[in-house]
Amino acid sequence: AVVSTQSTGFLEGARWDNKKMALAESLPKILYDAMPVIWLKPALKSDISTEGKYVSPVYKTSARQGQLSTTGHSTNYVVAINVPTIKPQKHWVLRGTCLLCSLDD
């Protein structure tokens, strides 16, 4: 659940709408938007619903590339997070929406 107006990460390909508490279209000419703090609460996989959520990949940087690790994932990939959305997941996939831990210098 998003629980704060402080930012510790960034969204690429979308923005966070504080009023709707969901993903929204990016504003014109804004590539990255601040993402509020996200509370990660442990739960059983069977108890987690992806309905009304975009399963967003989280990357360390916007490069979205890194060395391929033994797990088969890029070393730049962190985790996938369910982000509330009103639009279908396909909408955000086509926009390449992801969460970033930091922006490139």
Side-chain angles (χ1 to χ4, degrees):
V2 179
V3 295
S4 173
T5 57
Q6 296 177 331
S7 171
T8 58
F10 304 92
L11 270 167
E12 181 179 358
R15 69 179 173 89
W16 181 253
D17 186 329
N18 278 321
K19 290 182 182 179
K20 294 181 181 177
M21 296 296 285
L23 287 177
E25 295 294 335
S26 296
L27 297 175
K29 299 184 182 181
I30 299 190
L31 297 176
Y32 306 104
D33 196 40
M35 182 68 184
V37 174
I38 298 173
W39 174 35
L40 300 178
K41 181 180 174 185
L44 295 173
K45 188 172 183 177
S46 59
D47 294 341
I48 299 172
S49 170
T50 56
E51 189 174 329
K53 306 277 191 325
Y54 167 56
V55 183
S56 175
V58 179
Y59 297 102
K60 294 177 187 174
T61 66
S62 64
R64 297 195 196 194
Q65 62 185 9
Q67 298 293 327
L68 193 61
S69 70
T70 56
T71 62
H73 289 96
S74 166
T75 54
N76 192 31
Y77 176 82
V78 180
V79 70
I81 293 181
N82 294 337
V83 182
T85 180
I86 295 167
K87 299 188 180 212
Q89 179 155 288
K90 182 179 179 181
H91 179 85
W92 302 113
V93 170
L94 292 173
R95 281 160 178 70
T97 302
C98 71
L99 291 163
L100 305 172
C101 295
S102 66
L103 300 177
D104 300 330
D105 292 335

